[in-house]
Amino acid sequence: MTYPLSTLQLKPLLVFLSSLFITILLFSNISVASGDDHGNHDALEETRGPHGGKLLQKGEFEIEITLYEAGIPPEMRIYAYQSGKAIAPNKVDLDVQLTRLGGEQNKLTFTPEKDYLVSQQVVTEPHSFVVNVNATYQQQKLQWQYESFEGRTQISKRLLALSDVQTQKSGPHQLIFTEQLFGIVEPITHHIFNVNAPYTGIVDKLYVGIGDQVKKGQIIANIINSDTLSLYHVKSPANGQVTEQFLNKGDHTGNGPIVRISDLSSVWIDLSAFPSQMDKLKVGLPVKVLDDHNEDKINTEISYISPLMTGGHIARARAVIDNTQGHWRPGMHIKAEIETATKTVPIAVNVQAIQTFRGHPVVFAKYGNIFEVRMLKLGESDGQYVEVLDGLDAGVEYVSKNSFLIKADIQKNAAKHQH
């Protein structure tokens, strides 16, 4: 006969099953995490020496390798030990060869200093390489090889395609420097005509109104001469559009012009510039004018720079643009990009590629499906490309789009790198 379990009997069983479930889940998570190491070769805890460096051993002989960069360019410092006791550095001869991603090799030679051997060469960033150590002590020749990677990750082609990571190659580029100014469309003053009657009289008939297009020689109005009572015609002095009407039928012409005609087939672009910008401007520089929706643009050049400043310490520059289609209406607000200078540089990269790694501007070099940081010293930028002064050779493939995804993957293991 079977008996149902009581509440007191069920409680320990439930606790046991819950603990078992949590344990299985924990190990499952550990397994998943360790499988996502992306080629990190420092996943296991390595032996560290008294100075926090990597400890290499052959029998009773040990060397401790450290990188020192506190306020100085990075250098390698190596301490030697025999049976756990420090050895004077002048009793050990050694050299180190660093092989970097892409095949570059750096050989380091050492001289004694204090209680360590110090490299005579700077260990340039990134500190990511295969390390080969050759040492001689008491006529023993000793060798080690190990991997010391940082700022590196490996990503499959499938994941790269899904994430839309794109690359391009570093190389020469022409930087185009521009100044962005804002301004307004204005009619050209000598293309504005106030149409007056040559003799005083009464407006008998008006043939045009505001908005009408007129041609040169077209009759604008009939006027009855006040003195002779004869009828004569007033004609348009130019092609254009009636933009203002001052008189109506029956008005006396002595009161002012009849209409105003504006030729808007070309217009002025009046630009406002700060004093710091004016130093970069000169007549003849290329200008790209964009409307306030950035939908229409037109190319022209600076035609005039005012010698005077406004009361608000603003200087005026001007360009003329074609307006035969009538898109650029007086009063419209615009912005203009003025090409102030160009500079061809040996190496430049896309500004979208730049990320930061340990406080340095970097790009991510690509070798197959392995990516690694390249610390850069940057020069001038035109907003789209930036000059590279140091840290990257020409012809290197680097991530130019979605580089933040590579950075996120690399940062998973960045904390494991020690100096």
Side-chain angles (χ1 to χ4, degrees):
M1 179 178 292
T2 59
Y3 297 92
L5 292 173
S6 67
T7 304
L8 292 175
Q9 290 172 313
L10 279 172
K11 188 173 182 180
L13 178 61
L14 290 174
V15 171
F16 170 77
L17 291 174
S18 298
S19 300
L20 180 62
F21 175 78
I22 292 172
T23 303
I24 293 171
L25 182 62
L26 179 60
F27 275 96
S28 174
N29 287 337
I30 291 173
S31 176
V32 170
S34 64
D36 192 32
D37 193 46
H38 295 282
N40 179 58
H41 295 272
D42 269 331
L44 298 177
E45 188 70 26
E46 61 183 22
T47 306
R48 292 284 167 181
H51 301 89
K54 184 177 182 65
L55 200 61
L56 303 176
Q57 185 177 18
K58 285 287 178 74
E60 296 298 317
F61 181 75
E62 296 173 313
I63 59 171
E64 180 186 2
I65 299 180
T66 67
L67 282 174
Y68 187 86
E69 51 184 327
I72 62 172
E75 61 186 27
M76 187 174 284
R77 295 181 178 182
I78 297 181
Y79 301 83
Y81 309 95
Q82 177 69 29
S83 301
K85 296 182 179 180
I87 299 173
N90 59 0
K91 293 184 178 181
V92 180
D93 292 323
L94 61 81
D95 63 71
V96 172
Q97 182 168 286
L98 310 176
T99 303
R100 299 177 181 272
L101 187 63
E104 178 187 352
Q105 294 187 334
N106 307 137
K107 185 174 182 179
L108 306 180
T109 55
F110 295 80
T111 58
E113 182 179 281
K114 298 183 179 178
D115 58 343
Y116 52 81
L117 291 156
V118 61
S119 64
Q120 298 302 287
Q121 297 79 23
V122 172
V123 184
T124 57
E125 298 276 10
H127 297 155
S128 183
F129 23 62
V130 175
V131 183
N132 283 278
V133 182
N134 297 291
T136 301
Y137 174 67
Q138 293 182 345
Q139 299 183 340
Q140 296 182 72
K141 294 188 179 296
L142 307 162
Q143 293 182 328
W144 294 268
Q145 183 184 83
Y146 66 94
E147 295 172 340
S148 178
F149 297 151
E150 71 155 335
R152 179 185 292 197
T153 190
Q154 184 172 336
I155 303 175
S156 70
K157 290 182 179 180
R158 184 183 69 84
L159 291 178
L160 288 175
L162 289 173
S163 59
D164 193 27
V165 169
Q166 297 180 16
T167 63
Q168 60 189 82
K169 289 190 175 182
S170 60
H173 190 82
Q174 185 182 57
L175 302 178
I176 301 175
F177 301 100
T178 61
E179 288 291 323
Q180 187 176 87
L181 303 182
F182 294 90
I184 194 168
V185 178
E186 296 281 7
I188 299 174
T189 54
H190 55 275
H191 288 181
I192 298 175
F193 307 90
N194 287 332
V195 182
N196 293 274
Y199 309 106
T200 59
I202 303 298
V203 178
D204 179 65
K205 186 172 184 179
L206 195 62
Y207 291 93
V208 297
I210 292 176
D212 289 346
Q213 295 287 341
V214 298
K215 294 186 177 298
K216 184 177 181 179
Q218 180 178 332
I219 297 175
I220 299 298
N222 291 341
I223 307 296
I224 299 175
N225 190 313
S226 296
D227 296 327
T228 65
L229 300 181
S230 60
L231 188 74
Y232 67 91
H233 304 304
V234 176
K235 299 180 179 180
S236 174
N239 297 333
Q241 185 178 29
V242 178
T243 52
E244 289 190 64
Q245 179 182 330
F246 301 101
L247 299 179
N248 294 300
K249 182 179 179 178
D251 288 341
H252 196 280
T253 60
N255 294 337
I258 304 169
V259 295
R260 175 172 293 162
I261 294 174
S262 301
D263 178 5
L264 301 177
S265 59
S266 58
V267 290
W268 278 336
I269 300 297
D270 279 350
L271 302 170
S272 300
F274 293 105
S276 60
Q277 295 173 313
M278 289 300 296
D279 292 339
K280 303 174 185 178
L281 303 183
K282 61 182 179 181
V283 172
L285 287 179
V287 180
K288 180 169 68 176
V289 180
L290 301 98
D291 65 14
D292 54 357
H293 299 296
N294 291 334
E295 294 177 354
D296 287 274
K297 62 183 179 181
I298 190 169
N299 294 317
T300 181
E301 62 182 33
I302 293 179
S303 59
Y304 169 77
I305 297 176
S306 174
L308 305 176
M309 305 285 287
T310 69
H313 301 288
I314 299 296
R316 302 296 183 192
R318 178 178 292 160
V320 179
I321 61 172
D322 177 78
N323 190 38
T324 52
Q325 301 300 315
H327 173 73
W328 306 94
R329 299 174 180 273
M332 178 187 289
H333 290 272
I334 58 88
K335 67 178 179 180
E337 296 175 356
I338 302 175
E339 184 180 313
T340 58
T342 60
K343 177 183 178 181
T344 299
V345 298
I347 303 176
V349 295
N350 194 311
V351 295
Q352 294 184 14
I354 302 296
Q355 297 290 336
T356 56
F357 181 79
R358 292 200 285 105
H360 297 274
V362 301
V363 294
F364 301 107
K366 179 180 184 292
Y367 295 88
N369 63 337
I370 298 177
F371 299 82
E372 189 175 83
V373 296
R374 292 291 178 266
M375 276 76 164
L376 306 180
K377 181 180 179 182
L378 301 177
E380 295 182 280
S381 173
D382 63 1
Q384 293 185 319
Y385 281 81
V386 58
E387 178 184 14
V388 177
L389 301 175
D390 193 22
L392 188 69
D393 294 328
V396 174
E397 188 176 5
Y398 68 94
V399 178
S400 57
K401 181 181 177 182
N402 288 336
S403 57
F404 68 93
L405 297 175
I406 307 299
K407 176 180 177 179
D409 207 61
I410 285 176
Q411 283 182 326
K412 294 177 183 178
N413 298 315
K416 297 178 183 178
H417 176 71
Q418 297 187 25
H419 290 276

